[in-house]
Amino acid sequence: MKNFFLFLFVCMLSSVLFSQQTKIGDWGMHLNYTNINTIIAENEKIYIGTDSGLFLYNEEDNSLTSFSKLDGLSSLNITALDYDNGVLIVGYIDGNIDILQNNRVFSIPHIEMANILGSKKINDIFIQNNLAYVSCPFGLVVINISEREIAETCYLSEDGTKTEVFAAHVFDTTINSDVDYFLANKVFLATNRGLFYADKNSNLLDY
């Protein structure tokens, strides 16, 4: 319910901001706030991915910042977001991925450009230890963030059909109880064929 009222507030605030910023004779962008696809909250900032672009709402000063292709984003229709240690990763419905870091945008177009039949939509992104685990309709893609390149691609099907990965979660080596021993140091994938897991430091195809 809190998020619902926040969305309404952001929508009302956006109309005021855009009407005030555009001068006579200037071009202005009127982006759509209504189709929200994904949202995350980090460090009193809320990142909102929509069909039109990316919006950042700062809870400290109630400011709203918009990002679109005019600001360097590689595509439209954001479907996944994750943030870690100053790095925001944006995934799109066409397979494009942007890394936003230090006020710069770095594009990773490899999935969008890959010769893959069917959807390339980025379903989910999970960041841990300089690696981004990207869930896709055809499998899992692991991106080295600092190198800004694909480190590994995993196709989980053995019979020629596709296994769609909806989301990934990686547990670190922290063990707080005996139950955590099983989870520690593993990658878990939610797929259309069930739950897969593997040791994150070994071959992810050995699941």
Side-chain angles (χ1 to χ4, degrees):
M1 184 62 68
K2 178 181 178 182
N3 287 338
F4 174 75
F5 288 113
L6 175 61
F7 294 157
L8 293 179
F9 174 74
V10 170
C11 292
M12 290 185 293
L13 180 62
S14 67
S15 61
V16 175
L17 289 176
F18 284 118
S19 64
Q20 292 177 345
Q21 290 175 352
T22 305
K23 300 178 181 178
I24 297 177
D26 290 344
W27 288 96
M29 288 198 66
H30 298 276
L31 302 179
N32 186 357
Y33 283 79
T34 58
N35 296 328
I36 296 175
N37 301 322
T38 182
I39 181 170
I40 60 172
E42 292 287 344
N43 300 326
E44 297 186 340
K45 293 182 174 64
I46 299 175
Y47 300 89
I48 305 167
T50 73
D51 289 349
S52 302
L54 174 69
F55 303 98
L56 167 61
Y57 175 73
N58 191 323
E59 294 182 292
E60 291 184 344
D61 57 12
N62 294 326
S63 63
L64 183 70
T65 307
S66 65
F67 303 88
S68 69
K69 293 188 72 173
L70 292 180
D71 303 298
L73 298 186
S74 63
S75 192
L76 298 171
N77 206 333
I78 296 172
T79 56
L81 295 168
D82 201 17
Y83 178 93
D84 183 66
N85 196 28
V87 176
L88 178 69
I89 300 185
V90 183
Y92 302 89
I93 196 170
D94 61 4
N96 267 307
I97 294 175
D98 285 335
I99 297 178
L100 279 65
Q101 186 176 22
N102 298 326
N103 297 319
R104 297 182 62 186
V105 180
F106 303 93
S107 177
I108 300 180
H110 307 305
I111 296 176
E112 192 273 335
M113 297 174 60
N115 186 21
I116 298 174
L117 296 177
S119 173
K120 302 175 184 177
K121 173 187 175 184
I122 306 302
N123 289 331
D124 182 71
I125 301 171
F126 186 93
I127 302 175
Q128 190 195 64
N129 294 337
N130 194 47
L131 294 177
Y133 296 81
V134 181
S135 302
C136 303
F138 55 84
L140 179 73
V141 176
V142 183
I143 295 176
N144 185 309
I145 297 174
S146 60
E147 299 295 330
R148 305 185 190 100
E149 63 183 18
I150 293 179
E152 190 172 359
T153 301
C154 301
Y155 303 96
L156 304 178
S157 297
E158 298 177 351
D159 55 3
T161 61
K162 291 183 179 178
T163 297
E164 180 169 5
V165 180
F166 300 120
H169 190 92
V170 184
F171 291 90
D172 59 23
T173 57
T174 303
I175 299 176
N176 300 313
S177 69
D178 293 338
V179 177
D180 294 335
Y181 182 80
F182 169 74
L183 300 176
N185 221 32
K186 289 186 176 67
V187 180
F188 284 81
L189 305 178
T191 80
N192 62 335
R193 296 176 54 213
L195 185 66
F196 289 67
Y197 72 90
D199 190 313
K200 71 175 184 179
N201 294 321
S202 62
N203 182 5
L204 294 182
L205 291 177
D206 184 19
Y207 52 81

